[in-house]
Amino acid sequence: MADRVRGMPAAGAVPTPGLGVVMEADAEHAGRTPATLTVRSDQLLDALPDPTYVVDVDFTQEPPDCRVVWVGHALAEATGFSQEELMATAPRLVTASDSTALREALHARLPVAVVRSVARADGTAFRATVSFSPLGAGEPEGSTRWLVTVRDATEELASAVLAEERAAAEERARRGLSLVARVSDILADADSATALVEIGALLVRRIVPWAGFYADGTRLQRITDLAGITYHRRDLRRGARAQGVGSDPVRELLLDTRMQTVVIDRDRPAREGTLTAELLALLAEDPDAPDDGPLWLLPVLGRQAVLGVLAVQPPDPSRDRRAMPPGELTTVLELVARRVGMAMDNLQLYDREHRLAETLQRAMLPEQSHVEGVDVWSYYSPSSEHAQVGGDWYDVLDMGEGKVGIVVGDVVGHDVEAAAAMGQLRSVVRAYAAEFVEPGKVLDRVDRLVAGMRIARPASFVYASLSPRADGEDWDIAYSRAGHLPIVHVSGGRSRQLDGANGPLVGFGGRPRHTGHAVAQPGDVLIFYTDGLVERRDRSMRDGVAALVATAEQIDAPDAAGIGEELLQELADAPEDDIALVVLRVPDPAAPALRWSGPRERRWQMPMDPQTIARARHAVLRACEAWGIEDTAAAELVASEMVANAVMHGWGRVDLRLRDTGDGLRIEVEDANPSPPVLREGRVGRIGGFGLHIISRLAEWGWRPTPAGKVVWARVRPKDPWSKGKDAKDTPPTTS
């Protein structure tokens, strides 16, 4: 190694006090004779690309003493101060620092860099990265000498800020797009009854402190169901004219089909009687809603109208660092409102088509007539996979003189054309059944007429007529089939198929139809059905009919409704097609009352007709008789009042359901009117309006909404629910 030589100042140069640089030369490494290099320290430091100076920091004093021992020309040019001025002001870059990390690094003699504001001579300043590099011991003894580099970081910091802003904007954009995608997933997968709740909770988790959906029906109300409000909507334009001139932002938003954001100032009270006042009143009653602050309202747009309002509380940027700027937040909320609006519109459009199809189906499907002398129960259920329109139908005809006609048929298809063909065939069969007694002749005439009508859909059906014999006990059965499934006849605990008198489908006869005959005795059961009851993907039609025959033999229900319930539970738990089912039972007054293990549930589908009230009372009596319930007066009255309310105030059809719960009789009446029942105040002289008061006195009651309307229920607790003649050890039956 070469000897270490302290560099000496060159001739004519003014030395910098106390500053020296030691240079080493390795002769062997350099490949030449050892030599001594002498370099001016200030020239070496001035050759550095960045402005620099050298400072001694004495930590033996408090606060630490800083003394500049050298200042480069580049620092003087960057600041505009002379080197002499910088000798006095440069220590402030160290002593003015309040950074604990900087002081600890200098005390430990470790390199460190900080960002400081450096003043210029013209009064301005610039941001700079100030780096401290240790050089060794300084003067006086105990101090440390540091090389300080001052690098202008204005552009660098600006680029870093811009990059940070870009990263934040990208993160907000990703968050917004992720939220919109999640909303789309909820609308596609979630149950419509909870979709708006999930979307509101998602908005609160991601971008806003609070959110809720509102719609106007008979009044403004918060909605949680994606179906919204499709009934009894107020005429807002007429209401605005009647209300007079005045500001009502909510009403204006519901009447305008443009996407916009309306801001409501909670500090300014809304005019009484406006929809805005209704909204603020709803928020005041909601414990989760904000008590103050502005509200943003966005329309939930359908194709042709505003279906609702999305109300949100915008975030406070001073409290939420990740809050979206107003413009970006508005864009995300508009996308959410548009997607919700389209989903609501599609759901309401489907619901309207569904109701139209079901109305058409029900209008063409006849309701069961009450026939004296026999116990008849009928049931129809459309396939849930289709538009609630199909070609299955049934008809029960009271032909006078104790005669009964029963028709069950099936037109191929599940569309409006199939329903129209079904309606035509039903009318034709009903007309010819009234004219001709023999079923074979009825089918002959139907064949001829259908061929002339050019009904494009093939159809099958079975027609049977029952008439009492002279002895008054047995019944004659005459039937004829047009490619339809055989009737199941249950007699004496044995089942058999009435598979005679079969022929081609309707319209394809070409030759005379035949009539089959059988005899029904008291207690016998006849089952008419369509293929939806017996056919499945995992079993053939033949196996399905065999299962029906075997199931019918095991049923010991004493009434047609009970037999039908058991058939549905055993065979139609997951139907894949429309089901039409008619069960006829010949009453047997001499049969002993037996305990039976079937389901203690009943259901009936009845028309919106005053005669339905009497049928409901009769149904309750028949069910209570089958279940051994003797105290039926209260149940009859409650059922008749509930059905009367449905007939008077509802629409669609009336569904009556009974269930023996073990401690009483539960009665349910469903109709298509979603409006809740109203308990009116009783007044002297009022005609009607006392039905719910009567029900309240005799039973517990309530109601619940359904996708198709509402259900009103009541539970009647009779004085002696079980048959008086039973053994005291008997236990009440449980509900199946």
Side-chain angles (χ1 to χ4, degrees), residues 489-707:
H489 179 203
V490 184
S491 179
R494 304 289 295 178
S495 298
R496 66 188 182 100
Q497 302 179 38
L498 302 182
D499 53 4
N502 193 20
L505 297 176
V506 176
F508 298 90
R511 60 181 183 270
R513 300 276 185 173
H514 301 288
T515 301
H517 294 275
V519 177
Q521 299 175 347
D524 285 6
V525 176
L526 296 176
I527 302 172
F528 302 78
Y529 55 97
T530 55
D531 56 357
L533 181 68
V534 295
E535 187 176 21
R536 296 290 183 275
R537 293 185 179 92
D538 57 350
R539 73 182 180 200
S540 65
M541 184 81 72
R542 185 185 300 275
D543 293 339
V545 174
L548 171 60
V549 172
T551 301
E553 289 184 352
Q554 304 301 320
I555 299 175
D556 56 356
D559 60 335
I563 296 170
E565 287 290 344
E566 292 201 45
L567 289 175
L568 292 177
Q569 289 194 13
E570 293 293 332
L571 301 173
D573 54 341
E576 300 173 359
D577 200 353
D578 302 348
I579 295 177
L581 175 62
V582 178
V583 178
L584 182 146
R585 181 179 180 275
V586 180
D588 185 5
L594 300 174
R595 294 291 302 273
W596 56 283
S597 59
R600 304 180 78 88
E601 297 180 4
R602 299 290 185 270
R603 74 185 99 174
W604 292 266
Q605 299 169 340
M606 303 180 182
M608 283 292 177
D609 188 276
Q611 296 180 358
T612 295
I613 303 173
R615 285 190 57 196
R617 296 172 70 99
H618 181 77
V620 171
L621 282 174
R622 186 67 64 88
C624 290
E625 180 182 353
W627 296 335
I629 300 176
E630 296 183 357
D631 187 6
T632 62
E636 284 185 74
L637 187 54
V638 169
S640 64
E641 290 294 339
M642 293 172 64
V643 173
N645 283 338
V647 171
M648 293 178 62
H649 306 293
W651 59 76
R653 71 163 191 263
V654 178
D655 285 357
L656 172 64
R657 292 186 288 271
L658 303 178
R659 181 185 306 162
D660 182 1
T661 62
D663 60 348
L665 184 66
R666 183 180 177 90
I667 306 171
E668 293 185 356
V669 176
E670 181 176 2
D671 67 84
N673 184 356
S675 299
V678 178
L679 186 63
R680 297 180 180 179
E681 182 181 355
R683 295 179 183 176
V684 178
R686 167 179 287 175
I687 299 176
F690 297 97
L692 292 180
H693 289 278
I694 297 174
I695 296 172
S696 300
R697 290 292 186 91
L698 299 176
E700 305 168 10
W701 74 278
W703 76 283
R704 68 177 186 272
T706 65

Side-chain angles (χ1 to χ4, degrees), residues 352-523:
R352 288 193 296 270
E353 293 179 350
H354 174 87
R355 290 178 181 274
L356 176 61
E358 187 174 10
T359 301
L360 174 63
Q361 180 84 358
R362 295 297 175 187
M364 292 185 173
L365 190 67
E367 302 292 346
Q368 173 193 318
S369 302
H370 176 66
V371 182
E372 292 291 341
V374 293
D375 181 11
V376 183
W377 178 86
S378 58
Y379 176 80
Y380 172 78
S381 175
S383 172
S384 59
E385 297 182 358
H386 303 94
Q388 296 283 13
V389 176
D392 291 16
W393 90 92
Y394 67 85
D395 209 346
V396 179
L397 310 175
D398 186 355
M399 305 171 66
E401 299 179 357
K403 297 180 180 179
V404 184
I406 297 178
V407 184
V408 172
D410 185 3
V411 177
V412 175
H414 296 90
D415 52 20
V416 177
E417 185 177 353
M422 178 267 289
Q424 291 175 307
L425 283 175
R426 178 186 63 83
S427 300
V428 170
V429 173
R430 178 176 276 263
Y432 284 132
E435 182 178 356
F436 300 98
V437 176
E438 188 176 347
K441 291 184 177 180
V442 173
L443 265 65
D444 279 337
R445 291 302 182 98
V446 172
D447 275 334
R448 296 177 188 177
L449 188 59
V450 167
M453 294 172 62
R454 298 183 182 275
I455 296 179
R457 297 296 181 92
S460 68
F461 76 91
V462 57
Y463 170 59
S465 63
L466 288 84
S467 57
R469 287 189 167 185
D471 57 15
E473 294 184 357
D474 296 343
W475 292 67
D476 284 325
I477 306 172
Y479 64 93
S480 184
R481 298 187 297 137
H484 199 78
L485 296 171
I487 306 168
V488 174
H489 179 203
V490 184
S491 179
R494 304 289 295 178
S495 298
R496 66 188 182 100
Q497 302 179 38
L498 302 182
D499 53 4
N502 193 20
L505 297 176
V506 176
F508 298 90
R511 60 181 183 270
R513 300 276 185 173
H514 301 288
T515 301
H517 294 275
V519 177
Q521 299 175 347

Side-chain angles (χ1 to χ4, degrees), residues 6-230:
R6 182 177 300 277
M8 299 298 296
V14 179
T16 301
L19 179 63
V21 179
V22 177
M23 304 297 296
E24 296 180 350
D26 191 332
E28 295 178 0
H29 179 72
R32 60 179 184 272
T33 304
T36 299
L37 300 178
T38 301
V39 181
R40 283 284 300 180
S41 59
D42 54 349
Q43 293 177 350
L44 178 62
L45 294 174
D46 273 338
L48 296 176
D50 296 314
T52 56
Y53 70 97
V54 178
V55 62
D56 286 343
V57 183
D58 185 3
F59 281 98
T60 62
Q61 303 183 27
E62 187 60 37
D65 179 58
C66 298
R67 184 174 63 88
V68 177
V69 296
W70 179 85
V71 176
H73 293 288
L75 182 61
E77 293 177 358
T79 60
F81 293 105
S82 65
Q83 289 177 291
E84 290 76 10
E85 292 174 323
L86 290 173
M87 294 286 289
T89 59
R92 296 176 184 173
L93 294 176
V94 179
T95 59
S97 173
D98 58 354
S99 172
T100 303
L102 174 61
R103 291 177 180 272
E104 292 178 352
L106 295 178
H107 192 275
R109 300 184 181 184
L110 298 175
V112 66
V114 294
V115 177
R116 289 287 180 267
S117 178
V118 180
R120 293 190 179 97
D122 58 4
T124 62
F126 65 94
R127 301 285 288 174
T129 301
V130 182
S131 302
F132 296 82
S133 302
L135 295 177
E139 297 180 1
E141 185 178 355
S143 64
T144 306
R145 179 158 295 178
W146 298 84
L147 174 64
V148 184
T149 304
V150 181
R151 183 182 299 108
D152 189 347
T154 303
E155 295 183 0
E156 180 181 347
L157 292 175
S159 299
V161 171
L162 181 60
E164 184 177 355
E165 292 178 352
R166 287 177 177 174
E170 291 176 359
E171 190 274 336
R172 291 194 302 269
R174 285 194 298 269
R175 187 152 46 105
L177 293 175
S178 173
L179 184 144
V180 173
R182 179 57 186 150
V183 168
S184 300
D185 292 340
I186 292 174
L187 294 174
D189 300 334
D191 182 7
S192 66
T194 61
L196 296 185
V197 176
E198 294 187 30
I199 293 174
L202 179 66
L203 293 177
V204 171
R205 290 196 305 269
R206 299 283 185 89
I207 58 175
V208 294
W210 175 85
F213 291 89
Y214 294 84
D216 186 65
T218 55
R219 56 185 175 82
L220 193 68
Q221 55 188 293
R222 186 166 184 174
I223 55 174
T224 58
D225 194 331
L226 194 62
I229 299 176
T230 59

